């Protein structure tokens, strides 16, 4: 199953809104077929593995990282009938599919077909691999990771807004991989005005090349103040941008942006600002499973206040900036009591280059 999970991970960044799945066919201790799901509309992992195995699947064991599908509401045929026809005798499944169309039904159908089925092998590893998919299935919202590069004393930028570069090249390389793996990258208009980021995923020694896989770029901008020449609005042929705004935005600005190929998403407002839960619900409806937040203190505070952040990843450079007017990780008002603080669990700490990375779940 460990090898099947490694195969599944090869679909990172390309399978959404489908889950990542890997499969192996093993006969008499030898792997005779293997496969992984690459992108929506392509054959599922177990189908590829069974095709490769051919007649050698007779009497073999099929290892799958996710319960096989048994419904017709998708682009490809259901996998359970193919498994039953293949001649395998045993199926080992890492985790149940949280999709209500599949949940428990795939395993039940295999057992009705008189196959031996074991479920739960390497369950936690499989769940971790597809945590965005599982979260989306259960909540209808994308799994949101709040990422920041900061000093040891929690500062994102100087009082004048300078932030390039607080963290080192090794951390920035990881961040570009995070962008490649995410369905979308989100910032507030304040970050656009202060930093003019491109929000593209890049590769190469100096991050000079656009990666093949690009996230959707989302700017939360209630009044469409984003400058027309901003880098986040460029390269629409390679990386699309959505502006999340409100009815307060001017019609003229909307027209200019739309003519440049920018999608304008008008959402409900609260105190003149985009209602963030409404934004996340809309992204979920569009099949966006994962969102990487790379904003400033105010958008971070708003997302945390609305309980829309699922994971925190902080890249901390060995620097002390100081100053009450420097830009901090979380804006807004501080809670008066410690009992009201947000607490992370499942903490992981590691070193990347000269930086320390701390991450955990909320």
């Amino acid at each position: 199953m460990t090898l099947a999970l490694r195969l599944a991970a090869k679909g990172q960044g390309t399978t959404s809104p489908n889950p990542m799945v890997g499969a192996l066919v093993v006969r008499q201790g030898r792997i005779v077929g293997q496969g992984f799901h690459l992108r929506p509309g392509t054959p599922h992992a177990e189908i590829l593995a069974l095709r490769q195995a051919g007649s050698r699947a007779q009497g073999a064991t099929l290892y799958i990282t996710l319960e096989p599908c048994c419904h017709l509401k998708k682009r490809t045929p259901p996998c359970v009938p193919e498994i039953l026809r293949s001649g395998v005798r045993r199926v080992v499944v890492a985790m149940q599919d949280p999709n209500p169309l599949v949940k428990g039904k795939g395993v039940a159908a295999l057992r009705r077909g008189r196959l031996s089925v074991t479920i739960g092998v390497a369950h936690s590893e499989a769940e971790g691999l597809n945590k965005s998919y599982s979260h989306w299935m259960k909540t209808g919202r994308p799994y949101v990771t709040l990422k920041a590069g900061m000093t040891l004393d929690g500062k994102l930028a100087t009082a004048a807004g300078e932030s390039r570069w607080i963290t080192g090249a090794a951390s920035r390389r990881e961040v570009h991989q995070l962008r490649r793996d995410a369905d979308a990258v989100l910032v507030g208009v304040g970050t656009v005005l202060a930093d003019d980021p491109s929000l593209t995923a890049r590769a190469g020694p100096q991050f000079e090349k656009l990666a093949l896989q690009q996230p959707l770029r989302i700017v939360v901008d209630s009044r469409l103040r984003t400058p027309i020449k901003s880098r986040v609005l460029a390269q629409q042929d390679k990386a699309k941008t959505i502006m999340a705004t409100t009815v307060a935005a001017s019609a003229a600005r909307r027209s200019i942006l739309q003519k440049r190929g920018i999608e304008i998403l008008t959402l409900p407002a609260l105190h003149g600002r985009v209602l963030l839960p409404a934004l996340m619900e809309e992204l979920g409806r569009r099949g966006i499973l994962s969102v990487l937040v790379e904003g400033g203190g105010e958008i971070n505070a708003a997302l945390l206040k609305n309980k829309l952040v699922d994971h925190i990843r902080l890249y901390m450079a060995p620097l002390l900036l100081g100053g009450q007017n420097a830009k901090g990780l979380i804006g807004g008002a501080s809670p008066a009591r410690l009992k009201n603080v947000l607490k992370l669990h499942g903490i992981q700490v590691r070193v990347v280059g000269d930086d320390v990375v701390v991450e955990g779940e909320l």
Side-chain angles (χ1 to χ4, degrees):
M1 190 61 77
T2 299
L3 181 53
L5 287 165
R6 289 176 186 167
L7 285 169
K10 291 185 177 183
Q12 183 79 54
T14 63
T15 61
S16 185
N18 291 352
M20 291 174 277
V21 184
L24 290 170
V25 181
V26 178
R27 182 178 181 181
Q28 296 179 344
R30 294 183 59 192
I31 296 172
V32 295
Q34 58 184 351
F36 68 93
H37 186 48
L38 181 61
R39 61 175 57 90
T42 62
H44 288 189
E46 51 268 56
I47 300 303
L48 293 172
L50 290 170
R51 284 178 184 173
Q52 189 178 96
S55 62
R56 294 174 295 176
Q58 290 287 332
T61 297
L62 173 64
Y63 292 84
I64 321 173
T65 59
L66 187 72
E67 181 180 13
C69 60
C70 54
H71 64 94
L72 299 172
K73 295 183 179 180
K74 55 190 181 65
R75 302 185 201 178
T76 54
C79 295
V80 167
E82 291 298 320
I83 294 172
L84 293 173
R85 284 192 287 266
S86 70
V88 299
R89 290 183 180 177
R90 182 178 179 229
V91 179
V92 180
V93 180
M95 66 174 279
Q96 189 179 70
D97 192 331
N99 184 344
L101 294 172
V102 181
K103 191 175 182 180
K105 299 180 179 70
V107 167
L110 292 174
R111 285 174 174 159
R112 284 196 302 270
R114 298 187 178 182
L115 293 187
S116 171
V117 181
T118 302
I119 187 165
V121 176
H123 176 271
S124 60
E125 292 87 346
E127 181 72 33
L129 185 67
N130 277 312
K131 60 186 176 183
S132 296
Y133 171 76
S134 294
H135 182 272
W136 178 64
M137 275 293 170
K138 292 172 185 175
T139 68
R141 295 187 288 103
Y143 182 88
V144 177
T145 296
L146 191 158
K147 162 264 161 188
M150 56 195 285
T151 62
L152 283 178
D153 54 342
K155 306 300 183 181
L156 302 181
T158 66
E162 183 182 355
S163 61
R164 294 181 179 174
W165 296 103
I166 287 177
T167 54
S171 292
R172 297 200 298 277
R173 189 169 294 108
E174 269 202 10
V175 170
H176 283 292
Q177 182 63 55
L178 283 176
R179 289 181 186 173
R180 287 196 292 273
D181 292 344
D183 290 344
V185 176
L186 181 147
V187 297
V189 64
T191 295
V192 174
L193 295 174
D195 298 340
D196 191 23
S198 70
L199 300 183
T200 52
R202 297 185 298 278
Q206 302 300 321
F207 314 113
E208 72 279 7
K209 301 176 183 177
L210 276 178
L212 294 177
Q213 188 73 22
Q214 292 294 326
L216 174 68
R217 300 178 288 181
I218 302 170
V219 180
V220 181
D221 185 352
S222 301
R223 288 175 289 153
L224 294 183
R225 293 185 292 144
T226 298
I228 299 301
K229 293 185 179 180
S230 296
R231 293 197 294 173
V232 74
L233 302 181
Q235 299 175 300
Q236 289 300 304
D237 57 328
K238 297 181 175 66
K240 294 294 184 183
T241 300
I242 287 180
M243 306 296 295
T245 191
T246 69
V247 293
S250 77
R253 293 286 291 179
R254 291 172 186 271
S255 178
I256 291 171
L257 290 166
Q258 288 171 332
K259 286 178 180 177
R260 294 194 57 169
I262 311 298
E263 181 180 357
I264 307 298
L265 180 60
T266 303
L267 294 161
L270 181 64
H271 304 308
R273 296 187 175 184
V274 169
L275 192 63
L276 294 174
L279 170 59
M280 292 303 168
E281 288 170 10
E282 176 59 26
L283 295 178
R285 282 192 289 271
R286 293 176 177 224
I288 301 296
L289 271 59
S290 59
V291 173
L292 178 66
V293 177
E294 295 196 59
E298 295 308 311
I299 193 74
N300 290 347
L303 288 164
L304 289 165
K305 181 179 179 180
N306 282 280
K307 299 182 179 180
L308 295 172
V309 178
D310 304 292
H311 189 86
I312 302 281
R313 182 181 288 198
L314 304 177
Y315 291 84
M316 300 189 297
L319 306 171
L320 295 172
L321 183 55
Q324 293 184 352
N325 56 349
K327 310 298 182 183
L329 173 66
I330 304 172
S334 173
R337 305 289 299 275
L338 283 174
K339 68 179 182 179
N340 297 322
V341 302
L342 296 171
K343 187 175 182 179
L344 302 185
H345 57 89
I347 297 294
Q348 297 179 15
V349 181
R350 56 195 171 87
V351 175
V352 176
D354 292 331
D355 304 328
V356 176
V357 182
V358 178
E359 57 187 310
E361 304 287 319
L362 279 172

